Amino acid sequence: MAGTIVDFFGYRAEDNSETALSAVARNLCPFIHDTCNKTLGRDGTCSGVCAVRQVSSNQRIICCPIRLYADDYRILHIIAQKTFGVELNLYSGRAAVAKAVTEGGAVAVFGHRWGGELRLPKRNGVGNYFADWVLARLDESGQLKEFTSIEVQTIDTTGNYRASRAALIDGRRVEKSTVGLNWENVSKRIIPQLVYKGQVLQREPLCRSGLWFVTPESVYSRIIDRLGGDENMAFGYAPQPGALHFLRYDYDETVPMSDGTPTVLKVIGDSCTTVEQVQSAFNRVRLPEAGVYGNALKEALYG
């Protein structure tokens, strides 16, 4: 595989503005207004890579979940309003309790740089499971009334993008490297995690609207393909315990690109199904023809 970096430290690879160059020099992520926390290998170097493009495609693929936290975590406000049906201010963890009393209600946020991740019970006594985000609605007396959980997932890269990264640092040059995309992770890790966490939440009396899954459209498309396509799925469910909401992001092609400003993302879809539907679709996905392993072995052995 071969590809290039298209978003670097929050700005287009072609962006030579002082703002974009300063972000590289300071290892600054403009979406969290702090040092990029995505590291490159074991040396701890800040990666800075937000999105890549494969040579065989013009599609920009977001590979850092922090990229979805643009506009001061706008994603959290969108989901809070959709879930709770009211406009409430969001506050970090326990700070929301006092704010709820003075403001007639508030949303407590647990997650990245807010109130810390909440750990879920271990499965079969092993492994640690965390919720990326939990939004909890508090009433005017500061009491917990309901909550929802959010998983955020982009796509992991394969290969190596060091050559592309070095070229951007040295003269803002766009050059190819061996970077690829780990689409296999969709079925190996993402879908089983969604099913497990969705089932855990289904047993929570105060989680009345289910689990939210926020992802780029490209990742969502691969998930649906792995589940057998749209014809193998059922959407249109109302929010309910055990619901699974797919909130999809992509680049907003209607907004002109400008130097010194990150490219704009937008919500392009919000589909609701259930954990049971996902699990059932995953189990009944179409299989290849019988004998594919044997045929592959014979081809490898005898040509």
Side-chain angles (χ1 to χ4, degrees):
M1 289 187 178
T4 60
I5 296 170
V6 293
D7 277 358
F8 193 49
F9 284 100
Y11 301 90
R12 290 179 299 111
E14 298 83 3
D15 188 342
N16 281 290
S17 67
E18 182 178 342
T19 303
L21 298 179
S22 175
V24 176
R26 297 162 58 197
N27 289 328
L28 181 67
C29 171
F31 309 114
I32 59 174
H33 310 292
D34 203 345
T35 303
C36 169
N37 58 19
K38 185 177 183 180
T39 56
L40 183 67
R42 297 180 179 179
D43 57 9
T45 302
C46 290
S47 164
V49 177
C50 308
V52 299
R53 176 189 287 127
Q54 297 288 263
V55 171
S56 59
S57 170
N58 286 325
Q59 190 176 24
R60 293 171 287 181
I61 307 295
I62 298 171
C63 60
C64 178
I66 304 300
R67 182 67 177 85
L68 302 180
Y69 300 154
D71 299 326
D72 292 323
Y73 296 86
R74 178 61 183 161
I75 179 181
L76 302 182
H77 294 270
I78 291 173
I79 293 177
Q81 198 284 326
K82 284 178 175 286
T83 300
F84 306 131
V86 291
E87 290 285 351
L88 296 171
N89 292 323
L90 276 59
Y91 297 101
S92 178
R94 291 186 178 181
V97 177
K99 292 292 185 179
V101 175
T102 59
E103 298 179 6
V107 174
V109 181
F110 293 89
H112 184 261
R113 301 171 65 85
W114 283 67
E117 290 181 318
L118 294 184
R119 181 177 297 185
L120 297 178
K122 293 182 178 182
R123 182 168 58 181
N124 296 328
V126 296
N128 289 321
Y129 289 85
F130 295 88
D132 288 342
W133 297 93
V134 172
L135 305 183
R137 182 176 70 85
L138 310 182
D139 67 11
E140 64 277 4
S141 62
Q143 295 300 305
L144 173 63
K145 302 304 292 184
E146 61 179 309
F147 71 90
T148 191
S149 184
I150 307 168
E151 290 298 305
V152 180
Q153 182 70 54
T154 51
I155 193 71
D156 295 331
T157 57
T158 60
N160 191 306
Y161 51 61
R162 286 181 181 270
S164 296
R165 184 181 182 279
L168 286 172
I169 293 175
D170 181 20
R172 207 70 179 184
R173 294 176 290 111
V174 177
E175 293 189 0
K176 293 186 293 185
S177 57
T178 61
V179 63
L181 298 165
N182 188 8
W183 293 118
E184 280 300 308
N185 226 12
V186 169
S187 57
K188 288 182 178 178
R189 184 163 65 90
I190 296 177
I191 295 175
Q193 279 193 7
L194 289 177
V195 170
Y196 173 72
K197 292 183 178 181
Q199 289 177 333
V200 171
L201 290 169
Q202 195 170 14
R203 301 172 66 188
E204 293 287 336
L206 295 182
C207 184
R208 305 187 184 102
S209 58
L211 172 67
W212 288 84
F213 181 63
V214 180
T215 192
E217 176 68 14
S218 55
V219 177
Y220 170 76
S221 296
R222 292 295 181 122
I223 291 174
I224 297 303
D225 286 346
R226 181 63 182 85
L227 293 174
D230 289 329
E231 65 275 13
N232 201 37
M233 286 292 299
F235 290 104
Y237 283 82
Q240 59 187 279
L244 181 55
H245 306 261
F246 288 98
L247 190 70
R248 292 110 65 192
Y249 270 80
D250 208 345
Y251 289 93
D252 190 345
E253 303 294 349
T254 66
V255 178
M257 298 180 186
S258 58
D259 288 350
T261 303
T263 48
V264 178
L265 302 181
K266 68 175 181 178
V267 174
I268 65 169
D270 174 8
S271 304
C272 185
T273 184
T274 66
V275 174
E276 286 76 13
Q277 285 290 334
V278 171
Q279 188 172 33
S280 177
F282 189 63
N283 291 336
R284 67 173 181 262
V285 70
R286 293 186 300 272
L287 298 175
E289 295 180 1
V292 291
Y293 272 83
N295 292 337
L297 278 170
K298 292 174 182 177
E299 178 66 25
L301 288 170
Y302 313 118

